[in-house]
Amino acid sequence: MGTTAYERMLSVAVAALHERDPERLWPLLAAELPGLLGGDALIYKLDNWNESEGTLGLSPDADAEFAALGDEDMALLRAGYPLADHYAERADRAPVTARRVAGRSWSGSPTARLLDDLLDVDHVLGIPLPRSTTPITGCMVYRSGRDFTEDELRL
């Protein structure tokens, strides 16, 4: 991680530590985290999700695309393939990419196709909050082009 990325990350951490309103913490992170990780968009969980309900928090650049989604597409996103099952099956909360979990089948999955059509992204990085259980809480960062690197997973 270069000095610039380190300084940006430190700046976000300091801003988060000084944020006294918990309702503003996720929007702050949603605006900054994609840029820190070379991502294009971010979704975070605002409440308990299942395929039929749950509120998506979005990075500012993704609002317009997600506003037009129908119920079926929203259910597909809320299902969280393949990351939801991955984290539900183990206690490990380390960040992981959809491709590392699902392998080559990721790019042909309905979720990957929807994200490609919606945001023109190819890769998803799951970042669960430490010690989160059921429901698992965290966010997903989306990017086009290359997958996330080992350094970005550790970031």
Side-chain angles (χ1 to χ4, degrees):
M1 174 171 50
T3 302
T4 304
Y6 174 78
E7 290 170 350
R8 287 177 53 206
M9 187 174 212
L10 186 60
S11 174
V12 170
V14 168
L17 289 170
H18 285 98
E19 181 55 61
R20 297 199 189 288
D21 181 0
E23 299 290 321
R24 293 178 39 156
L25 185 56
W26 268 117
L28 167 73
L29 293 174
E32 297 297 328
L33 196 54
L36 289 171
L37 294 171
D40 300 311
L42 179 142
I43 293 178
Y44 58 95
K45 292 175 66 171
L46 291 174
D47 49 24
N48 193 7
W49 283 2
N50 61 43
E51 290 184 30
S52 61
E53 63 184 6
T55 307
L56 300 176
L58 306 167
S59 55
D61 295 340
D63 280 339
E65 289 86 350
F66 284 89
L69 287 179
D71 291 341
E72 187 175 316
D73 288 339
M74 287 299 285
L76 189 60
L77 287 177
R78 284 191 199 103
Y81 173 82
L83 300 170
D85 287 343
H86 170 79
Y87 290 118
E89 295 168 358
R90 58 191 43 81
D92 182 12
R93 294 294 179 255
V96 68
T97 66
R99 183 166 310 283
R100 290 176 192 201
V101 171
R104 294 175 59 180
S105 66
W106 162 248
S107 56
S109 71
T111 303
R113 288 192 306 269
L114 172 62
L115 291 166
D116 183 39
D117 291 344
L118 185 65
L119 297 170
D120 194 27
V121 296
D122 310 297
H123 304 285
V124 181
L125 171 62
I127 306 174
L129 293 179
R131 295 186 216 82
S132 63
T133 57
T134 305
I136 297 165
T137 305
C139 65
M140 294 173 282
V141 178
Y142 301 90
R143 123 179 331 165
S144 58
R146 66 174 174 78
D147 202 356
F148 293 88
T149 65
E150 288 296 325
D151 285 343
E152 289 164 334
L153 290 175
R154 284 189 295 272
L155 190 65

